[in-house]
Amino acid sequence: MVHLKSERELELVRASADLVSRTLGEVARCIAPGVTTLELDDIAEQFVRDNGAEPAFKGYVANGLPPFPATLCVSVNDAVVHGIPDRYCLREGDLVSIDCGVRLNGFYGDSAYTFAVGEASDEDARLCRITFEALNLGMAAAQDSARVGDIGHIVQRHCEAAGYGVVRELVGHGIGRKLHEDPQVPNVGRPGRGRRIRCGATICIEPMVNRGTSHVTTDEDGWTIRTADGTPSAHYEHMVAITLDQPEILTTFAYIEEVVEQPPYWLGNVTHD
Ligand code: MG
Ligand code: MG
């Protein structure tokens, strides 16, 4: 069942969305060659707790797996999502996807961003730009009375036209008092199909897009999802509230853009065909 938020609940969701956005901004300041993914996780956890919230992913249990051990999912290069922070040192040219969840005043926030460490290759920059554009197209389709298939279709079409693989196994979702609520929001679909979304719904739209095949594998840790062919992957996630007017984007990348001088999707000389 899709839980539609009252104006008061929406205020609380906005606060959680703002905190998760600010947390990603803090992490963005520290992304550089030589930094370990565990150091990024420590920074995020401290910031979340200093702001009176709890990390949402830490201790998260799914499908009989060991509880997720960290505040951030940090997924480097061919890791798509759910990477566990460890002693790995970021290197120049890495593509690192950071996903963060918080729980503040009983409501969840969830957002993700893919960063280039140092300078991105043209190919990686193009992957980021197309994925970011797909997120924006998906959000624009999140209109009152639209269906989740409308969102999935436009995301899928944009990414596949660029020659990329869209991951099927993982999907966007409703969010509120639970991290994952109905409806599921796949990144593929057909127009006019799937659950209807209504004014008051709050959803996460989060395309996970691979430079090669859409197929993925899972590491022995049970969490880390990787591209089956070893190609890099990108992941951008925003929280959106459905309104009677234009969708309200609840999270923001503005805190990231303050510190990342040239987000990969701004780079020139990459063309979309
Ligand atoms: Mg997320
Ligand atoms: Mg999510």
Side-chain angles (χ1 to χ4, degrees):
M1 193 185 120
V2 178
H3 180 65
L4 302 179
K5 276 72 181 177
S6 66
E7 188 48 45
R8 193 181 157 277
E9 289 173 316
L10 195 51
E11 270 307 309
L12 293 167
V13 178
R14 283 190 189 103
S16 300
D18 183 63
L19 178 58
V20 79
S21 303
R22 285 189 289 129
T23 307
L24 287 178
E26 290 301 308
V27 171
R29 288 175 199 283
C30 305
I31 290 177
V35 174
T36 69
T37 57
L38 205 50
E39 285 170 317
L40 298 177
D41 192 64
D42 287 343
I43 287 157
E45 178 167 2
Q46 194 63 50
F47 188 79
V48 169
R49 295 197 188 280
D50 285 349
N51 282 277
E54 292 161 26
F57 300 162
K58 199 165 192 169
Y60 186 88
V61 184
N63 309 327
L65 293 175
F68 192 79
T71 296
L72 300 177
C73 297
V74 183
S75 309
V76 181
N77 296 331
D78 65 328
V80 179
V81 286
H82 303 170
I84 298 174
D86 60 14
R87 294 201 183 121
Y88 177 80
C89 276
L90 294 178
R91 290 181 209 165
E92 176 84 25
D94 278 348
L95 207 56
V96 56
S97 299
I98 310 262
D99 195 348
C100 185
V102 303
R103 183 170 178 267
L104 176 68
N105 299 319
F107 285 83
Y108 284 92
D110 185 10
S111 182
Y113 192 93
T114 298
F115 298 85
V117 181
E119 195 135 338
S121 68
D122 283 357
E123 283 181 317
D124 285 350
R126 181 174 181 268
L127 173 68
C128 289
R129 184 172 63 81
I130 295 290
T131 307
F132 182 80
E133 287 170 355
L135 169 60
N136 284 302
L137 291 167
M139 292 193 296
Q143 304 280 344
D144 182 52
S145 295
R147 292 179 183 268
V148 295
D150 299 328
I151 298 172
H153 173 71
I154 202 159
V155 168
Q156 178 181 11
R157 193 179 59 182
H158 189 65
C159 297
E160 290 183 350
Y164 298 142
V166 180
V167 176
R168 268 71 165 165
E169 286 83 348
L170 299 138
V171 296
H173 50 92
I175 187 166
R177 286 188 190 277
K178 290 199 284 182
L179 178 60
H180 297 123
E181 297 185 350
D182 284 344
Q184 292 199 344
V185 185
N187 294 302
V188 298
R190 287 201 279 162
R193 299 294 180 94
R195 299 283 293 273
R196 216 179 265 286
I197 49 173
R198 300 260 186 218
C199 178
T202 46
I203 60 172
C204 290
I205 302 177
E206 49 177 317
M208 288 151 263
V209 181
N210 306 339
R211 221 168 70 195
T213 177
S214 64
H215 296 293
V216 293
T217 60
T218 307
D219 279 8
E220 278 182 14
D221 63 25
W223 283 104
T224 312
I225 308 287
R226 284 184 200 280
T227 60
D229 60 3
T231 55
S233 187
H235 178 211
Y236 293 89
E237 175 178 22
H238 267 320
M239 294 167 62
V240 179
I242 313 309
T243 77
L244 291 176
D245 193 21
Q246 289 306 303
E248 178 185 345
I249 304 171
L250 301 169
T251 39
T252 174
F253 295 145
Y255 302 109
I256 293 170
E257 287 160 2
E258 276 173 21
V259 291
V260 176
E261 279 178 23
Q262 200 177 36
Y265 53 85
W266 287 358
L267 294 179
N269 73 17
V270 280
T271 51
H272 179 218
D273 24 56

